[in-house]
Amino acid sequence: MKPLALSPVLLAAMCVLSACGAPDGEAPDKAPRAEPGNTASGGIEIIDPVAASASVSRTKLETLPATEAEGPVACSTDIGAKAAERLAKTCQKVSPATHPPCNVANSCALMSDEIARSCAQFDEKDAPIADCQPDPKSGQAAAAVVSLYYSAINARDYGTAWSQWGEDGPPNQSLPQFSAGFTDTQSTKVTIGDLPEGDAGAGSVFQSVPVTIDAVLKTGGHQRFKGSYTLRRVNDVDGATPAQRRWHIESAKLAPVR
């Protein structure tokens, strides 16, 4: 079977966190990342296959003409006009911005990202916001980031997917390099497993998100993977920005399975 076509840069970026906590005294937004090429995982191959959202209906990209599939798929095309309108209205309710992301012509992932960003800003307000579900601090919210990540990739919205690794994207990887890693994947299905309890350390909270993935290549071949993502958020320490208080992907540890 032809291996999943991912750029070497993308493979190098998917590093394993050998420990959840940052060293004592380190700033909460500077938790260590494994260097590219690190083999601390004992030789387990680190891969990031494209996967569909676990919570948003999969885009039928195989039916789109090549010219339409080149750019992000509109949310109204992805999940239907009525469902996209509902998501846009939720986005408009919680977003403090002028609402350009809250448009059905954008990808569902972009609107979901704006909702998550906005809910993280409102997280410390006295009155809870009914549309901010799940709780932005919860493990379920961390799992939602993984779903959003793959929803964005399936919709060809690589900018939104890239940003789920944090404001600077995956370590040592530009957006064009990231995007180039997904040219040969047609679609995938991801299943999120039971979430373990999160771990806290050095001003941050870490949440492991177990996943099982079935990737379909444009050749029609299948590849299956199992492993986990590690999500991180700063634990509301003084001086933390809204972006730091949001869950973001810290690392990925995935291996092929039969």
Side-chain angles (χ1 to χ4, degrees):
M1 182 182 295
K2 181 179 177 181
L4 184 62
L6 295 176
S7 67
V9 179
L10 182 60
L11 293 176
M14 306 305 159
C15 301
V16 180
L17 271 184
S18 58
C20 288
D24 292 341
E26 185 170 278
D29 61 338
K30 298 294 183 181
R33 298 180 189 267
E35 294 298 323
N38 191 316
T39 58
S41 62
I44 295 177
E45 189 176 8
I46 306 305
I47 307 171
D48 185 32
V50 183
S53 168
S55 59
V56 180
S57 299
R58 238 186 60 209
T59 306
K60 297 180 179 178
L61 294 173
E62 60 270 25
T63 66
L64 294 176
T67 54
E68 293 181 35
E70 288 175 357
V73 177
C75 189
S76 56
T77 301
D78 188 353
I79 63 175
K82 290 184 178 180
E85 284 289 353
R86 287 194 294 270
L87 186 62
K89 287 181 180 179
T90 298
C91 183
Q92 292 164 9
K93 285 181 183 179
V94 303
S95 175
T98 55
H99 307 150
C102 307
N103 189 314
V104 297
N106 294 323
S107 72
C108 297
L110 180 59
M111 288 198 282
S112 296
D113 182 64
E114 177 64 12
I115 292 169
R117 184 190 73 83
S118 302
C119 288
Q121 291 189 36
F122 290 130
D123 195 20
E124 300 304 312
K125 299 294 183 180
D126 292 334
I129 298 175
D131 292 294
C132 288
Q133 297 294 332
D135 181 344
K137 295 182 180 181
S138 68
Q140 288 74 22
V145 171
V146 177
S147 293
L148 190 160
Y149 174 63
Y150 285 125
S151 175
I153 293 173
N154 243 26
R156 309 300 197 256
D157 186 353
Y158 300 117
T160 297
W162 185 83
S163 68
Q164 301 314 303
W165 287 83
E167 294 179 292
D168 298 323
N172 305 314
Q173 192 173 25
S174 68
L175 176 56
Q177 290 169 331
F178 175 83
S179 302
F182 302 105
T183 56
D184 292 333
T185 304
Q186 182 66 51
S187 63
T188 68
K189 178 180 179 181
V190 61
T191 301
I192 294 177
D194 294 336
L195 299 177
E197 290 188 11
D199 294 320
S204 292
V205 179
F206 297 87
Q207 177 66 56
S208 178
V209 178
V211 294
T212 302
I213 298 162
D214 182 7
V216 181
L217 305 181
K218 289 181 179 178
T219 60
H222 283 250
Q223 287 194 335
R224 294 172 177 82
F225 304 87
K226 192 169 185 177
S228 64
Y229 282 88
T230 296
L231 282 288
R232 174 178 176 245
R233 65 179 295 275
V234 173
N235 194 19
D236 303 327
V237 298
D238 290 341
T241 66
Q244 291 169 340
R245 292 198 300 270
R246 280 189 64 183
W247 288 109
H248 65 270
I249 300 172
E250 183 75 2
S251 67
K253 183 178 180 180
L254 306 172
V257 294
R258 293 185 181 276

